[in-house]
Amino acid sequence: MTILVTRPSPAGEELVSRLRALGQVAYSFPLIEFSPGRQLSQLPAHLAALAPGDLVFVLSQHVIDYAAPLLRRNGIQWPGNLSWFAIGRTTALAFHTVSHIPIRYPQDRETSEILLQLPELQNVAGKRALILRGNGGRELLGETLEARGAEVSFCECYQRSAIVYDGIEEAHRWHARGISTLVVTSGEMLQQLYTLTPDWYRENWLLRCQLLVVSERLASLARTLGWQNIRVAANADNDALLRALQHT
């Protein structure tokens, strides 16, 4: 089994080095990169506008990567009188490390659907909810909170952008190296990988690879694109991906 990990840096490289330490053949091929969000400078004002007990949602650890230095430079503390929520364990840990504030997160999968099942989010009428996220992404969380009576606002703390590659050159390289397993952690990256790969390589190599994804929603998208050999990891962090790859 030769593995291609499409996670962004540095998580992708970390997973590859852990796989290699276990004797696996693995390569890193990050499909997206990150930069500061267009609304990052507005974060202090967004936080100041919230009242005690209002809700803040951190949808990725990349939010922390950009928000923490900004607040530190401005001498601003993370407000401890708000109710903080994270999309999953990795993001919650990143937030708690910089803030030392308790943060709630779903124990199973890192999805908006599971997050919205938390008991604390069932009765949010009259509260403000600030969603800290990247550009684009799904609207389910904001729409559901609004439907439950919350006043929702967003702050784009980071941007994702596709890394430009020569599709023929990359497909030839990975096909020649015998890549047989692909690790993809978002629908955006799955679509990008599919589109990047020229037709011949798509039919004769890409869609024949085993695909490891991080949610049933992503597995469903993969099936519509033509993949058949699909596995779903228990979570989106490297520990869960490593466990899934060891049991392949």
Side-chain angles (χ1 to χ4, degrees):
M1 180 172 72
T2 305
I3 304 163
L4 190 65
V5 176
T6 66
R7 295 206 87 161
S9 301
E13 285 91 343
E14 187 217 4
L15 180 57
V16 165
S17 86
R18 290 174 70 181
L19 286 164
R20 288 177 175 173
L22 294 168
Q24 300 273 21
V25 182
Y27 300 95
S28 177
F29 182 48
L31 290 171
I32 60 173
E33 57 191 355
F34 299 102
S35 57
R38 287 166 296 196
Q39 299 168 327
L40 180 63
S41 63
Q42 299 167 26
L43 177 60
H46 275 294
L47 291 173
L50 298 175
D54 281 341
L55 319 172
V56 190
F57 295 84
V58 185
L59 297 195
S60 164
Q61 66 191 62
H62 304 296
V63 166
I64 307 303
D65 294 341
Y66 290 99
L70 173 85
L71 295 183
R72 203 162 45 240
R73 282 196 305 273
N74 288 280
I76 298 169
Q77 300 286 324
W78 296 92
N81 60 355
L82 304 173
S83 296
W84 292 87
F85 297 88
I87 193 73
R89 185 175 68 92
T90 306
T91 303
L93 186 60
F95 174 78
H96 187 70
T97 301
V98 298
S99 70
H100 308 294
I101 293 169
I103 183 165
R104 301 166 186 82
Y105 63 95
Q107 300 295 324
D108 341 322
R109 296 190 172 277
E110 298 186 10
T111 67
S112 298
E113 287 88 345
I114 303 292
L115 177 60
L116 283 161
Q117 290 174 17
L118 288 176
E120 301 93 334
L121 298 180
Q122 303 315 302
N123 183 17
V124 296
K127 290 187 181 293
R128 289 182 183 163
L130 172 62
I131 298 177
L132 309 181
R133 62 178 186 174
N135 54 316
R138 302 170 71 206
E139 300 298 337
L140 177 72
L141 179 62
E143 288 172 356
T144 306
L145 291 169
E146 279 188 344
R148 293 177 183 175
E151 182 187 324
V152 177
S153 56
F154 298 91
C155 183
E156 181 196 287
C157 294
Y158 69 96
Q159 287 190 69
R160 294 182 299 270
S161 52
I163 300 174
V164 178
Y165 291 105
D166 181 317
I168 295 175
E169 189 180 303
E170 296 300 335
H172 175 74
R173 183 213 312 257
W174 302 125
H175 180 248
R177 286 187 177 175
I179 296 294
S180 58
T181 296
L182 308 166
V183 178
V184 183
T185 53
S186 80
E188 177 187 9
M189 290 189 283
L190 186 66
Q191 191 71 60
Q192 189 184 340
L193 184 62
Y194 180 88
T195 306
L196 176 71
T197 307
D199 288 350
W200 187 89
Y201 286 104
R202 191 186 293 159
E203 296 303 322
N204 292 283
W205 163 65
L206 188 75
L207 293 175
R208 296 183 182 184
C209 287
Q210 175 179 241
L211 181 66
L212 177 63
V213 295
V214 296
S215 70
E216 290 297 341
R217 188 173 58 86
L218 205 44
S220 176
L221 172 61
R223 278 189 285 274
T224 66
L225 291 172
W227 271 279
Q228 294 178 327
N229 187 1
I230 304 165
R231 298 195 64 211
V232 181
N235 230 313
D237 59 55
N238 278 349
D239 290 344
L241 292 169
L242 196 64
R243 282 195 299 275
L245 289 164
Q246 286 178 283
H247 292 99
T248 298

